[in-house]
Amino acid sequence: MRSWLLLLLLLPSSLQAAEEILLLKTWQPDQDVSGWLMSEKLDGVRARWDGQHLISRGGHRYHAPAWFTKDFPPFAVDGELWSKRGDFEQILSIVLRQHPHDGWKQLALHVFEVPDQAGGLPERLQRLTNHLTAHPSPYLKIIRQLPCKDNRHLQRFMQQLVAHGAEGVVVRNPLAPYQTGRSNDALKVKPYFDQECTVIDYKPGKALPAGQTGSLLCRLDNGVEISIGSGLHQQLRTAPPPQGQRITFKYYGLTAKGVPRHPVFLRPRQDMP
């Protein structure tokens, strides 16, 4: 496992400024999504194919091998570089290298959107289906979309996936046109909430060897400071994310004072400053 400092050094060089992309809002239990499309929310690394290059959420170019993208379409698609559930750190280590390598054989781009195409989501995805019929690729897949009967159906679907290690579910309005930014027509459904914060300091662990990190002192965007110790494995306690790093954590509701309950480290932000 590389240290976070080394990961910073391994970041791909910037190809272009970060562009507007589709982002998800959080589903609320009073939102009726009957008739929408639902799919597994993959815990991978976001990537957009622009017709020539794989680009990260922050506008960096991934150095995928030519054989990986050989049969990709001449139009844009958006998705997640993914291998299997619970494999985020391995995926990240593969895509952050600055040269092509055989590790990409473990990955595929799992597509949930075909930007800049007309029609609703099924029509946009059909454009990619047509391309793959003529140019099949083991490294380009379309994420299965399942019609949602009602909110109870959504909850059952999510519980089944989460029980097998999935991160959650995405629900999309099939009639909505393509759009960027956060939208009421694209929602994430999880058994917990997640949020970003900034690492500002470290706290030692009471029962840990000297020099190891017990928890991360982090600042939320509203100025509230919290400590995150859960979710840190041995390598992270030895080489924690650097101060100033944005990380994602999960939590289970808020206290009466608005502080996240039981925060747990999930991952570094995919595109570091």
Side-chain angles (χ1 to χ4, degrees):
M1 166 63 84
R2 299 175 176 85
S3 70
W4 293 112
L5 178 59
L6 184 54
L7 282 178
L8 282 168
L9 296 175
L10 289 174
L11 273 173
S13 56
S14 180
L15 178 67
Q16 60 183 46
E19 60 181 313
E20 284 293 316
I21 58 174
L22 173 71
L23 299 172
L24 303 174
K25 287 189 174 182
T26 300
W27 176 78
Q28 303 299 329
D30 60 350
Q31 292 178 273
D32 183 9
V33 293
S34 301
W36 286 30
L37 296 175
M38 55 187 184
S39 60
E40 179 176 347
K41 188 178 188 302
L42 303 182
D43 53 342
V45 172
R46 183 74 174 269
R48 176 184 168 110
W49 170 254
D50 68 355
Q52 293 183 311
H53 306 288
L54 273 177
I55 303 172
S56 76
R57 174 175 173 174
H60 298 279
R61 177 179 169 182
Y62 293 123
H63 296 280
W67 49 258
F68 186 88
T69 59
K70 178 174 66 74
D71 292 312
F72 280 26
F75 51 85
V77 297
D78 195 359
E80 294 274 327
L81 291 166
W82 191 73
S83 54
K84 60 183 179 180
R85 295 166 182 162
D87 201 31
F88 177 79
E89 291 184 0
Q90 175 66 13
I91 298 169
L92 190 64
S93 71
I94 291 172
V95 305
L96 284 183
R97 297 187 194 178
Q98 296 189 57
H99 57 84
H101 60 96
D102 285 346
W104 283 82
K105 292 179 179 178
Q106 303 175 47
L107 308 181
L109 180 62
H110 294 255
V111 174
F112 52 73
E113 184 58 87
V114 182
D116 310 322
Q117 303 296 320
L121 181 60
E123 289 76 23
R124 297 195 299 274
L125 291 175
Q126 185 63 45
R127 175 77 189 277
L128 179 58
T129 299
N130 295 342
H131 172 83
L132 289 175
T133 299
H135 307 280
S137 170
Y139 304 112
L140 189 62
K141 304 177 184 296
I142 299 175
I143 298 176
R144 178 172 176 256
Q145 303 289 331
L146 180 69
C148 179
K149 299 176 183 178
D150 52 36
N151 285 8
R152 292 182 62 186
H153 185 203
L154 169 62
Q155 291 287 356
R156 290 196 301 271
F157 181 62
M158 182 189 69
Q159 290 168 5
Q160 291 170 359
L161 289 177
V162 170
H164 290 87
E167 181 178 343
V169 173
V170 174
V171 286
R172 305 277 304 276
N173 180 351
L175 302 179
Y178 175 71
Q179 51 195 307
T180 60
R182 298 199 184 276
S183 167
N184 291 323
D185 292 314
L187 309 173
K188 57 185 176 181
V189 187
K190 296 183 180 182
Y192 55 81
F193 301 94
D194 63 28
Q195 186 174 335
E196 286 188 357
C197 60
T198 302
V199 177
I200 60 173
D201 206 347
Y202 314 99
K203 293 184 177 181
K206 294 181 180 179
L208 295 174
Q212 291 201 2
T213 299
S215 61
L216 308 174
L217 181 60
C218 300
R219 181 176 292 123
L220 306 182
D221 291 343
N222 63 5
V224 172
E225 295 182 1
I226 61 173
S227 292
I228 302 177
S230 297
L232 298 178
H233 51 64
Q234 184 62 40
Q235 291 90 344
L236 281 173
R237 295 192 185 280
T238 302
Q243 294 183 24
Q245 170 69 61
R246 296 282 286 180
I247 65 170
T248 301
F249 68 96
K250 67 180 180 180
Y251 62 100
Y252 300 85
L254 301 174
T255 68
K257 295 183 178 180
V259 179
R261 295 180 183 273
H262 312 301
V264 178
F265 175 87
L266 282 180
R267 61 177 67 94
R269 178 171 170 170
Q270 291 175 10
D271 285 280
M272 307 175 199

